[in-house]
Amino acid sequence: MRNFGWMLFMAAAAMAQAPAFQRVGTMSQLMINIIYPTSDALFYIERTAPKTEVEWNGIRNQALMLAESGNLLMMPGRARDQENWIKDSKMLVDVGAAAYKAAQAKDMDAILALNDQLYQSCVVCHQQYRPNYGKK
């Protein structure tokens, strides 16, 4: 019986230490205000290719925000399910993290090589979770 009490105490302590997340933006706001602009910065990087350290820093920032936005999509209360939604969100984290590393190295070719992976992470998720996606 003593072990049971200890387990309850430990479970309560773990729950008390769990962070309380507060969602601020809607899913639409995340997509329009964070994910679309950051993904566009990578999709269309060749239009205004970064040349200076300041420009590369901007690309690094966009890639980092894109990666972290995948984490935002997995927050409690945002994740639509624990299977495909999480898998799709992790794809976004992975491609954003890879783009961040490529931007740190100022490797334009590596960023361009990620375009298909980024596109697929968006399309796969939209096909599953946006009604009428791709239909005219």
Side-chain angles (χ1 to χ4, degrees):
M1 190 62 149
R2 249 180 110 149
N3 286 339
F4 181 71
W6 177 252
M7 288 179 9
L8 283 176
F9 172 77
M10 294 303 290
M15 287 176 60
Q17 293 174 355
F21 295 105
Q22 178 182 348
R23 291 179 300 153
V24 176
T26 65
M27 186 64 66
S28 180
Q29 289 169 321
L30 285 177
M31 290 292 167
I32 292 168
N33 297 317
I34 298 175
I35 297 172
Y36 291 165
T38 58
S39 62
D40 283 352
L42 300 175
F43 279 135
Y44 305 116
I45 192 171
E46 286 182 302
R47 288 183 180 171
T48 53
K51 295 173 187 68
T52 68
E53 186 60 34
V54 170
E55 291 169 343
W56 275 109
N57 191 45
I59 296 298
R60 282 190 291 273
N61 292 342
Q62 297 294 319
L64 181 62
M65 282 194 295
L66 183 67
E68 290 294 353
S69 67
N71 288 320
L72 291 175
L73 295 175
M74 292 186 274
M75 282 178 59
R78 279 212 179 103
R80 304 270 170 99
D81 60 54
Q82 293 298 307
E83 289 138 19
N84 287 332
W85 185 270
I86 299 300
K87 183 177 77 174
D88 296 344
S89 298
K90 285 182 179 178
M91 283 193 318
L92 191 59
V93 171
D94 292 344
V95 72
Y100 179 75
K101 288 179 183 175
Q104 282 182 307
K106 299 178 185 172
D107 188 343
M108 175 71 85
D109 291 335
I111 293 172
L112 292 173
L114 292 167
N115 271 352
D116 189 52
Q117 185 181 348
L118 177 55
Y119 176 78
Q120 287 303 314
S121 74
C122 297
V123 169
V124 167
C125 186
H126 290 173
Q127 286 174 337
Q128 293 177 64
Y129 296 102
R130 283 184 63 197
N132 300 317
Y133 178 76
K135 296 179 183 172
K136 294 184 180 191

